Amino acid sequence: MKAPKENRESPGLWSMLLSVLAAFFGVQTQRNYQRDFASGRFWPYAVLGIVMALSFVGLVYLLVALVLAQ
Amino acid sequence: MIKTILGFPALLLFATASQAAWEVNLPRGVTEVSREIYDLHMTIFWICVAIGVVVFGVMLWSVIYHRKSRGAKAHNFHENVLVEIAWTVVPFIILIAMAVPATATLIKMYDNTEAELDIQITGYQWKWRYQYLGEEIDFFSSLSTPRDQINNAAVKGEHYLLEVDNPLVIPAGKKVRFLLTANDVIHSWWVPDLAVKKDAIPGFINEAWTIVNEPGVYRGQCAELCGKDHGFMPIVVEVKAQADFDAWLAEVKQADQDKAAEAQKSWTLAELMETGEEVYNKACLACHQANGEGIPGVFPGLKNSPIALGDPGPHIDVVLNGKQGTAMQAFRDQLTAVELAAVITYERNAWGNKVGDLVTPAQIAELKE
Ligand SMILES: [Cu+2]
């Protein structure tokens, strides 16, 4: 089943990525916040969030391995 | 009143000067690692002081110079992305800056490799057991402060509650690794001067290490609440120069042999009673109490107890092997044959118990085989 095509354009991948990053950081501008909630869909953000959380874990893991290797 | 307030800091200063032992700050300790931890602690302390000065300075300045009575008007705005980013990034950078030296120290602290001596440390309620792996040395270390001092019946000594019968002895300048575990509940082996504080957990082995260059005596305590006598199981570490350490090793081994030989000689009731009382006061009194009546509901009395008055077999069994799942531990390895025989004989003939029989050290030595 296909969702009916929305009449407005949803944010592109890059701006969604930036929004998720902003959420990780904890600071977001009111303008982007309005845009995301008005025209974004839930799942792409959730998936991006999970992927980035996992990458963060991987990054910390790598960093520790790097520090311990010295 | 004013005088009291002014006098107070002066008093504190005086107290610090007169009582060198009274320290508020982290001790610097006597090992390379402990000094490094101290320096790290001071660095981070001063960073915190600086942050405190800046934050409270800005706050105070705003409170004083922008107060309502001076006509200041609140500036009502919602977001300011720049400021929000700044106050997130700045602490982040500070944290990373603190993590760099902290990580370097932690890595050093956890480097348990290349030890020259391994000692297994086991926490018991309420004493420590030290086993020198590879050497045939295995002994218990318990509080030696006299009960009179604890009960305020005598003047307290210099090392009140920080003295033991058998200290842990280690060689100076050698890397010594500690393998920590516990027999009953969680304890924690803590010697501030060595910057070693490690939990001793039943069923687990934790590792720690130290290199102490200066011979000396260093004291510590159990740092994990472990029951009634948690405050009465101190730690004393004696660091000896290598030659003295070797002499100590030989001496302990000789003493162990002498004890084995002692078990074979014949003992009179009076001799066993005398030794038995000493052993009882050191190893059993904490639970079964000086009058042998125990603490009802927690530790059974031995006075008039059917076990102490009955056949010696079950009595010997409970003292040697303990009672699984209770605070009554197995004393088989903790005490020598002579001490075991003496304390059992003592229990059968003290506090009005009058069995009159005598458990011989030779009999116990055979059971201990
Ligand atoms: Cu303890």
Side-chain angles (χ1 to χ4, degrees):
Chain A
M1 198 180 82
K2 275 204 171 144
K5 183 97 179 125
E6 302 233 356
N7 212 1
R8 50 207 150 80
E9 207 160 316
S10 66
L13 185 67
W14 182 243
S15 16
M16 286 198 296
L17 206 75
L18 286 181
S19 285
V20 174
L21 260 179
F24 270 53
F25 188 71
V27 177
Q28 174 67 299
T29 61
Q30 190 66 18
R31 193 163 44 88
N32 288 351
Y33 166 81
Q34 293 297 354
R35 180 203 64 201
D36 288 342
F37 274 78
S39 51
R41 281 173 302 134
F42 170 71
W43 283 111
Y45 288 95
V47 171
L48 269 177
I50 290 167
V51 169
M52 273 169 58
L54 291 177
S55 330
F56 181 69
V57 171
L59 189 76
V60 171
Y61 185 87
L62 275 179
L63 201 71
V64 171
L66 198 79
V67 168
L68 288 183
Q70 284 177 353
Chain B
M1 182 66 198
I2 298 268
K3 235 183 182 168
T4 338
I5 290 172
L6 288 180
F8 188 60
L11 201 75
L12 271 184
L13 272 180
F14 176 71
T16 329
S18 65
Q19 247 177 299
W22 195 79
E23 268 273 4
V24 179
N25 202 358
L26 191 77
R28 292 198 72 222
V30 294
T31 68
E32 201 190 312
V33 167
S34 78
R35 296 203 176 105
E36 214 167 286
I37 293 173
Y38 175 84
D39 290 342
L40 188 63
H41 158 81
M42 288 318 287
T43 308
I44 289 174
F45 171 73
W46 287 118
I47 292 176
C48 293
V49 168
I51 294 172
V53 167
V54 169
V55 169
F56 286 102
V58 170
M59 220 166 90
L60 260 173
W61 176 79
S62 317
V63 165
I64 293 169
Y65 291 99
H66 295 270
R67 60 182 190 272
K68 199 173 172 188
S69 60
R70 275 193 151 201
K73 282 248 159 22
H75 194 34
N76 274 311
F77 63 93
H78 184 251
E79 57 167 12
N80 186 329
V81 176
L82 214 69
V83 172
E84 286 171 30
I85 287 177
W87 75 43
T88 313
V89 168
V90 170
F92 182 75
I93 291 172
I94 295 174
L95 279 179
I96 296 291
M98 296 200 294
V100 171
T103 307
T105 305
L106 276 174
I107 289 173
K108 240 185 225 176
M109 281 170 67
Y110 282 86
D111 176 16
N112 293 311
T113 54
E114 289 169 28
E116 292 178 78
L117 174 64
D118 286 335
I119 300 177
Q120 184 182 329
I121 302 179
T122 312
Y124 280 69
Q125 277 177 324
W126 293 284
K127 62 197 126 220
W128 297 96
R129 179 183 192 176
Y130 300 117
Q131 286 161 288
Y132 292 59
L133 306 183
E135 304 279 348
E136 293 214 327
I137 291 189
D138 176 356
F139 61 89
F140 282 80
S141 175
S142 40
L143 179 72
S144 62
T145 300
R147 282 280 144 181
D148 278 354
Q149 292 187 13
I150 296 169
N151 297 334
N152 291 324
V155 181
K156 299 190 191 318
E158 186 192 351
H159 299 299
Y160 178 68
L161 297 188
L162 289 174
E163 49 200 345
V164 299
D165 49 1
N166 304 308
L168 172 68
V169 179
I170 60 173
K174 292 274 160 73
K175 183 160 182 176
V176 181
R177 185 165 64 143
F178 304 123
L179 303 158
L180 293 119
T181 185
N183 179 59
D184 32 47
V185 299
I186 302 178
H187 301 268
S188 183
W189 198 83
W190 179 36
V191 181
D193 280 335
L194 310 189
V196 175
K197 185 191 223 175
K198 204 69 165 183
D199 276 6
I201 307 172
F204 288 83
I205 293 190
N206 281 338
E207 288 176 79
W209 65 271
T210 192
I211 301 176
V212 188
N213 289 321
E214 279 304 303
V217 178
Y218 307 103
R219 295 167 201 274
Q221 282 160 297
C222 177
E224 181 69 57
L225 190 58
C226 60
K228 176 175 161 288
D229 277 3
H230 163 63
F232 300 82
M233 52 181 293
I235 296 153
V236 178
V237 180
E238 233 182 279
V239 181
K240 288 186 191 285
Q242 186 67 45
D244 296 338
F245 177 75
D246 292 338
W248 175 83
L249 276 186
E251 200 178 292
V252 172
K253 286 179 183 163
Q254 184 58 45
D256 280 349
Q257 279 176 11
D258 293 350
K259 276 181 201 152
E262 226 180 11
Q264 299 310 326
K265 82 172 224 229
S266 75
W267 288 72
T268 66
L269 182 61
E271 284 169 338
L272 283 176
M273 286 296 284
E274 195 190 325
T275 310
E277 182 169 5
E278 275 166 31
V279 177
Y280 183 86
N281 290 345
K282 192 180 83 177
C284 326
L285 177 141
C287 297
H288 296 292
Q289 305 297 304
N291 57 12
E293 290 172 18
I295 297 177
V298 192
F299 306 119
L302 300 172
K303 182 179 175 175
N304 298 327
S305 121
I307 292 214
L309 295 178
D311 194 49
H315 190 173
I316 295 173
D317 179 58
V318 70
V319 178
L320 260 63
N321 303 319
K323 219 28 175 289
Q324 266 290 302
T326 76
M328 182 60 200
Q329 6 181 307
F331 284 92
R332 176 184 286 273
D333 300 324
Q334 302 194 30
L335 301 173
T336 65
V338 171
E339 288 171 327
L340 285 164
V343 77
I344 295 169
T345 304
Y346 177 73
E347 286 175 352
R348 302 175 71 73
N349 297 287
W351 323 294
N353 285 358
K354 281 209 174 62
V355 185
D357 65 1
L358 142 175
V359 174
T360 66
Q363 191 181 343
I364 301 289
E366 205 164 297
L367 285 172
K368 269 177 73 126
E369 289 299 309

